[in-house]
Amino acid sequence: RVPAGADTIYVSGQLPSPLDPAKPMSEVRSLEEMGDTKAQTISTLGKIRDILATQGFTMSDVVKLSLFIAADPRLGKMDFAGANEGFKTFFGTAETPETVARSTFQVAALVGPYFLIEIEAIAARKPAS
C-alpha cells in the first residue's frame, strides 16, 4: 500500500555496470566482464539504491520492481535463481527486512549483447513534515 499523499519516485530501467568499475562500458567485449545474472542484479540494484539516495529515498521505500531478464548464453536459459540471489542481498535483510512486490519477465534481448538484466523501480514514502 502506498499512503495518500506519499512522495513517489519512478526509476526507469537500469542496467548493470562492468565488474571492473574503472572499465567504461564502451570497452566491454565479453559477458565475463559483466558477470553472471546474480552479479548483474547486484550491480543494477546498487545503481537503483544510489539513484534513490540522491532523492532522499532508501531501498525500504521501494514498493514495486520490474525485472527484465535475458537468457544467459552460457546456460541457454534465463537464470531466475541468480536474479533471486542478487535480489536477496537487498531485500529480506537486516537493513531492508521487508520484501517488495515484483514482476519478472524473460525477454529475447536487452539493449546490448552483454546485459542479462534490466530493472525498473517505484518507491514511495511519507512526505517530510
Side-chain angles (χ1 to χ4, degrees):
R1 284 199 153 172
V2 175
D7 288 333
T8 306
I9 185 169
Y10 296 82
V11 180
S12 63
Q14 297 298 305
L15 295 160
S17 296
L19 292 173
D20 177 355
K23 184 166 210 134
M25 195 62 215
S26 61
E27 294 179 14
V28 172
R29 301 286 180 258
S30 73
L31 188 54
E32 285 67 30
E33 294 174 85
M34 295 299 294
D36 60 11
T37 301
K38 178 182 177 181
Q40 289 196 26
T41 301
I42 292 168
S43 173
T44 306
L45 287 172
K47 282 184 172 182
I48 290 170
R49 178 197 57 218
D50 295 347
I51 290 167
L52 292 173
T54 68
Q55 302 301 311
F57 286 76
T58 68
M59 292 301 267
S60 293
D61 297 316
V62 174
V63 295
K64 175 73 167 78
L65 292 174
S66 296
L67 288 69
F68 304 91
I69 306 174
D72 183 331
R74 298 167 295 196
L75 303 175
K77 63 180 183 174
M78 169 181 78
D79 182 10
F80 178 74
N84 206 39
E85 285 302 309
F87 174 85
K88 289 178 185 178
T89 66
F90 287 85
F91 298 96
T93 65
E95 185 178 325
T96 309
E98 298 296 320
T99 190
V100 62
R102 63 181 170 155
S103 300
T104 304
F105 305 91
Q106 181 172 352
V107 296
L110 293 166
V111 71
Y114 309 120
F115 295 119
L116 299 175
I117 192 161
E118 181 173 341
I119 304 174
E120 298 174 344
I122 302 170
R125 62 162 192 211
K126 292 181 182 178
S129 327

